[in-house]
Every structure is written in C-alpha cells, then in structure tokens.
Amino acid sequence: MSVKSTHQFTVYNHESGVNIFKILILLNELGLTYKEYLLDFGRQEQKEEWYRKMMPNGRIPALVDHWNNDKVVWESNAMLLYICTHYDKDKKFLVSEPNDVADMNTWLFFQASHQGPFFGQLQWFSLYHEEQIPSAVKRYTDETLRILGVLDSVLKDREWLVGNKCTLADIAFVKCNEYATRDLLGDQFNFREEFPHVYRWHRTLMARPAVAWVFKYKAEQDCGRERQHVTGETHSSYETRVSELSTKQTSRNA
C-alpha cells in the first residue's frame, strides 16, 4: 500500500468546472480529506502526458485515492460510486434493496447521458460558440426544459429520487440544475411555477450544509483564468454575457 498522505484524495479540476461540485459535495458530506489540483487549461495542461496517463480522455474531473494504492477514477458519476462503495460504510448516500440500486443507477446514467450533455450544449451555444445559431439555442433550451419536466413528473410523488432519502442520484443533478435555472434559461424562466416539484427538491438540496459550503467555496475561487485563456474574454465580460442571456431568449409561449 502507498504511504498514507495527509489527505486521502487529490481531485483534478479547474476553476470553472461543473462536474466537480458533486464530487466535493460528497467528500464533504462524508468528512473525507482531499486537495484540489487546478489544471491550467490555458496551456492545455489537461492534455499533457502526465495527466493523460491518469485520465486518457484528457478531461476533468479525475480522482486519485492515495489510501488505495493511488487508485485513479474518472467520469464524475463513477467517482461518486467509487467513493461511496469504499467509504460510505453506513450507506448514508447509497441504497440496499436491489430494485432501489437499479433505480439509483438509472438516474445516474440519465444525469450523465441527458442532463449533463444537453445543459452543456445550451451553455456552449448560448455563451461560447463563435456565431449565433438561434436554432441550436432553441433546441437545447427545449431539451433542458424537457429534462426538468422528466424530473418534475417523478418528484411530484416523492421527496427524493430513490429510497426515500437523499442519495447519489440527487447529488448528481444539483449543479447543472442550479446553473441552468439561475443563468441559462434567462429571466423569463420561473423555476417555481414551471417545475414546482423540482424547485422544492432543489431548494432542499441547496440548503444542505455541505452543498452550501461547496457552492460558496467555488464562488470565491477565481473562475476567470480558464475562460480568459480559452475564449479570450475576462470574467467580467463573461458575467455581462450571462446577464444578457435573457434578452436572447425567445418566449417559449410564442
């Protein structure tokens, strides 16, 4: 076994990463120790050989468990499962019944294959693409609303997605939902009225101390460096573009 370090995990990330939120939330919920390594996307550090040896896809996040022979895990929902399988001995965020396990895994796959990619494309075509393509923005806006609708239809009859408690399935959705409903859907979007059950669930998640701490911590982290290197814009100009999103949103009732 590797010599134990003072922290159990190293989490590789960069300042404005989205998928890192769920990992940091879980580590804090379980009281596990870690440090962040912030990759410099400006010099393509995530594509360097040393990192690609750990993370062949050259993306973020990645996790190294120093107390398990420096085991490397990548893909954020796989990281959630790894952490809980090894270290959530009380099954605080896991379920035991086989049907519940299947349901939890289904939601984790749904988050990774639907919410993450479609919300990400809405972000890209709203903020970063070099030319305005209204049809692309409309497509991914519609998909984002559809996915929120899927969640709303399920949560109308339950407090949590699986097992009558907060599990990995719930934690996996929190950051993308926060980003989409706060910024990407514009100021014409009324979260509480349009998706009341998701709204209630999301507010309950955001009120958890570990979730609140991670969001505060990441908000205080300088998130301008990566955007300035990759897109040429400063953090202040990015914030201006976000604030102007609502003027680019066409009425969904038109």
Side-chain angles (χ1 to χ4, degrees), residues 83-148:
I83 293 166
C84 273
T85 299
H86 285 75
Y87 303 109
D88 184 10
K89 300 304 182 184
D90 296 327
K91 295 197 172 184
K92 184 178 179 182
F93 297 102
L94 293 174
V95 288
S96 298
E97 291 297 322
N99 286 345
D100 286 342
V101 173
D103 288 344
M104 186 185 75
N105 289 339
T106 296
W107 284 113
L108 289 172
F109 276 84
F110 179 77
Q111 191 279 323
S113 61
H114 290 263
Q115 189 208 41
F118 285 119
F119 286 26
Q121 290 298 323
L122 177 57
Q123 176 193 35
W124 176 262
F125 283 104
S126 297
L127 296 173
Y128 294 130
H129 198 63
E130 60 272 13
E131 58 182 309
Q132 293 295 312
I133 306 179
S135 61
V137 174
K138 183 179 185 305
R139 166 174 167 73
Y140 292 114
T141 297
D142 290 346
E143 282 298 301
T144 296
L145 294 170
R146 182 187 67 79
I147 290 162
L148 288 170

Side-chain angles (χ1 to χ4, degrees), residues 4-253:
K4 283 193 175 182
S5 67
T6 56
H7 54 276
Q8 182 170 355
F9 299 98
T10 297
V11 186
Y12 291 86
N13 183 41
H14 70 87
E15 291 96 326
S16 55
V18 171
N19 285 323
I20 192 61
F21 279 75
K22 65 183 92 167
I23 307 306
L24 297 186
I25 287 167
L26 182 61
L27 291 173
N28 279 275
E29 287 275 11
L30 294 175
L32 300 172
T33 59
Y34 63 92
K35 73 172 183 179
E36 270 192 286
Y37 183 102
L38 297 177
L39 293 155
D40 187 342
F41 276 28
R43 60 184 180 89
Q44 293 286 289
E45 192 175 13
Q46 78 278 18
K47 306 298 183 185
E48 291 180 3
E49 183 179 359
W50 70 268
Y51 185 68
R52 293 287 291 270
K53 284 181 178 178
M54 291 192 303
M55 207 300 188
N57 198 31
R59 301 295 183 93
I60 57 165
L63 180 82
V64 178
D65 184 351
H66 301 298
W67 294 4
N68 185 20
N69 298 306
D70 289 336
K71 171 65 179 172
V72 178
V73 187
W74 48 280
E75 287 297 308
S76 59
N77 287 350
M79 292 162 66
L80 293 179
L81 287 167
Y82 173 85
I83 293 166
C84 273
T85 299
H86 285 75
Y87 303 109
D88 184 10
K89 300 304 182 184
D90 296 327
K91 295 197 172 184
K92 184 178 179 182
F93 297 102
L94 293 174
V95 288
S96 298
E97 291 297 322
N99 286 345
D100 286 342
V101 173
D103 288 344
M104 186 185 75
N105 289 339
T106 296
W107 284 113
L108 289 172
F109 276 84
F110 179 77
Q111 191 279 323
S113 61
H114 290 263
Q115 189 208 41
F118 285 119
F119 286 26
Q121 290 298 323
L122 177 57
Q123 176 193 35
W124 176 262
F125 283 104
S126 297
L127 296 173
Y128 294 130
H129 198 63
E130 60 272 13
E131 58 182 309
Q132 293 295 312
I133 306 179
S135 61
V137 174
K138 183 179 185 305
R139 166 174 167 73
Y140 292 114
T141 297
D142 290 346
E143 282 298 301
T144 296
L145 294 170
R146 182 187 67 79
I147 290 162
L148 288 170
V150 171
L151 291 167
D152 205 62
S153 69
V154 171
L155 289 164
K156 70 180 180 181
D157 297 321
R158 64 186 76 168
E159 184 177 1
W160 304 102
L161 289 174
V162 181
N164 297 315
K165 68 175 187 177
C166 179
T167 69
L168 298 184
D170 305 284
I171 291 171
F173 284 91
V174 66
K175 174 53 184 174
C176 285
N177 280 341
E178 185 272 340
Y179 186 30
T181 58
R182 174 175 52 85
D183 284 333
L184 296 178
L185 292 172
D187 62 7
Q188 295 181 45
F189 173 72
N190 189 316
F191 191 8
R192 186 173 188 172
E193 290 187 4
E194 295 188 42
F195 302 102
H197 310 297
V198 179
Y199 176 82
R200 180 264 308 156
W201 170 65
H202 180 69
R203 281 176 59 87
T204 302
L205 281 166
M206 292 293 288
R208 295 180 70 90
V211 176
W213 185 88
V214 169
F215 272 85
K216 182 176 184 294
Y217 162 71
K218 295 301 287 182
E220 291 172 352
Q221 214 173 50
D222 176 18
C223 62
R225 185 181 71 176
E226 182 269 339
R227 291 191 184 100
Q228 189 165 2
H229 280 314
V230 174
T231 69
E233 69 177 349
T234 63
H235 182 54
S236 59
S237 65
Y238 168 81
E239 291 290 347
T240 299
R241 288 215 288 157
V242 167
S243 69
E244 292 172 351
L245 263 183
S246 60
T247 66
K248 300 175 184 177
Q249 299 286 343
T250 57
S251 174
R252 293 189 293 278
N253 299 319

